[in-house]
Amino acid sequence: MEFAITLKLDMPPTRSVALTKQAEEVGFRYAWVFDSHVLWQDPYPLLTLMAHHTQHMRLGTCVTNPAVRDLTVTASSLATLNLISGGRMDLGIGRGDSSRRVLGKKPTTLADLEVAALKIRALATGRPVSHEEQTVQLPWACQDSCGPACAENCHPEPTMPIWIAAYGPKALHLTGRIADGVILQFADPALIKWCLGFLHEGARAAGRDPASIKVMAAAPVWVADDLAYARDQVRWFPALVSNHVVDLLARYDQAMLPPELTQYVSARAGYDYQKHAEVGSSNAAFVTDDVVDRFCIVGPVEEHRRRLHELAALGVHQFNIYLMSGEEEACLEVYGRQIVPAFGSASKSV
């Protein structure tokens, strides 16, 4: 299993870069950033700095969405970053949550998500697409330097992996049909197993090998013997996930969804996006300890190893730490020294 970090860009850029460098040095193979440009800093300048100061890590958005920028802008940004980084960019994309909701707008449709993901990847790798009744191409983006004749001369396989953030059956089916990886925002084995069933159904329906799709489990962690304190540091995360659960309940009969995912939101009073992903926020007041323990990983080192081995046995390829709960440098130090080596992940081997 590989390890990753995701940063919430609310800190000085120099610290974001320093954390990324530290993560690479201790064996993390991916670094992702949130994309919520009103709440936090814009991701693309930060990804540029991160690419310049790393050697091997893959980098990307976790996640962008089809509506926050014109898809040609997103594709151009990622293609430029691919040139800067030597081809180390991944596209993480979803329907849109905080970057849309904070502006009073709704997430996009799954149909829009599918179209955008495929067009962004094609454009970012130099291929032409039909967009708003125009043929659009970024010929400079082709890594094979085919130029305008890219569509005829280039190798057939795209070179920018797509990761889709998904929760519900339809989104997971979509991910299985078109994506290279799925982003699952929790560390609960039962919920991950439930999600993989739909993911694999979608892959098989498209004639794809389900094993070819990488699985990311993304969640905050806290290493400590003091469980009460540890839980309070990451309690914001199940509150963040609750936004997606509420959205699912508006679209599906609750009986179709696992109670481990839906029951805890019954006590939710509301959500203030101005306090999104914020430690100690009132948004998390309704989240109980048992939900924290399932969705996150807290406790001593031995408990982290146990939980991670459990996830790896389920088929999780990447564990992505949402590195935004405090004491981030210390978290990377203990993971790099005591946890990452136990899973054979080393960025310098890439």
Side-chain angles (χ1 to χ4, degrees), residues 274-334:
Q274 294 295 335
K275 298 179 179 178
H276 191 55
E278 182 179 299
V279 175
S281 166
S282 57
N283 284 338
F286 73 98
V287 178
T288 59
D289 288 350
D290 66 301
V291 175
V292 173
D293 291 348
R294 288 193 295 109
F295 281 37
C296 312
I297 301 182
V298 296
V301 167
E302 294 76 14
E303 176 64 6
H304 287 249
R305 289 178 182 157
R306 184 191 71 80
R307 291 283 304 280
L308 291 166
H309 279 297
E310 190 175 23
L311 296 180
L314 279 175
V316 172
H317 300 92
Q318 179 181 147
F319 183 67
N320 180 6
I321 297 177
Y322 277 8
L323 194 67
M324 55 196 75
S325 298
E327 300 183 22
E328 288 81 9
E329 288 84 0
C331 176
L332 287 176
E333 192 278 330
V334 70

Side-chain angles (χ1 to χ4, degrees), residues 145-193:
S145 301
C146 300
C150 179
E152 292 79 25
N153 299 337
C154 196
H155 58 77
E157 293 299 321
T159 56
M160 183 171 292
I162 299 173
W163 297 73
I164 294 180
Y167 284 96
K170 293 179 182 178
L172 290 161
H173 266 269
L174 164 62
T175 304
R177 285 194 290 106
I178 72 168
D180 302 286
V182 63
I183 299 169
L184 303 175
Q185 291 186 109
F186 33 60
D188 185 322
L191 292 179
I192 289 175
K193 186 176 181 180

Side-chain angles (χ1 to χ4, degrees), residues 248-260:
L248 286 177
L249 289 170
R251 295 168 178 270
Y252 294 91
D253 184 329
Q254 187 167 347
M256 297 177 61
L257 304 170
E260 297 93 339

Side-chain angles (χ1 to χ4, degrees), residues 3-9 11-33 43 46-60 88 323 328-329 332 347:
F3 287 81
I5 61 168
T6 290
L7 297 177
K8 178 180 69 172
L9 301 175
M11 61 184 74
T14 52
R15 186 163 179 244
S16 295
V17 171
L19 286 169
T20 305
K21 290 175 63 177
Q22 182 185 355
E24 181 176 63
E25 289 167 0
V26 299
F28 285 69
R29 298 183 70 167
Y30 285 77
W32 304 90
V33 293
L46 269 298
L47 285 167
T48 302
L49 290 172
M50 292 160 67
H52 182 68
H53 287 89
T54 55
Q55 299 297 319
H56 307 290
M57 297 180 86
R58 297 200 63 84
L59 306 166
R88 292 188 282 130
L323 194 67
E328 288 81 9
E329 288 84 0
L332 287 176
S347 65

Side-chain angles (χ1 to χ4, degrees), residues 101-173:
R101 302 283 194 187
V102 77
L103 293 170
K105 299 180 179 181
K106 295 181 179 180
T108 62
T109 66
L110 288 177
D112 288 342
L113 171 59
E114 179 172 4
V115 169
L118 294 175
K119 286 186 178 182
I120 290 169
R121 176 165 66 181
L123 287 168
T125 52
R127 292 154 180 82
V129 303
S130 177
H131 179 59
E132 297 181 353
E133 302 181 355
Q134 297 286 328
T135 298
V136 182
Q137 185 179 14
L138 310 178
W140 54 267
C142 176
Q143 293 183 4
D144 287 350
S145 301
C146 300
C150 179
E152 292 79 25
N153 299 337
C154 196
H155 58 77
E157 293 299 321
T159 56
M160 183 171 292
I162 299 173
W163 297 73
I164 294 180
Y167 284 96
K170 293 179 182 178
L172 290 161
H173 266 269

Side-chain angles (χ1 to χ4, degrees), residues 1 3 26-28 332 334-346:
M1 187 163 65
F3 287 81
V26 299
F28 285 69
L332 287 176
V334 70
Y335 255 73
R337 179 166 45 87
Q338 300 188 56
I339 297 173
V340 172
F343 293 84
S345 178

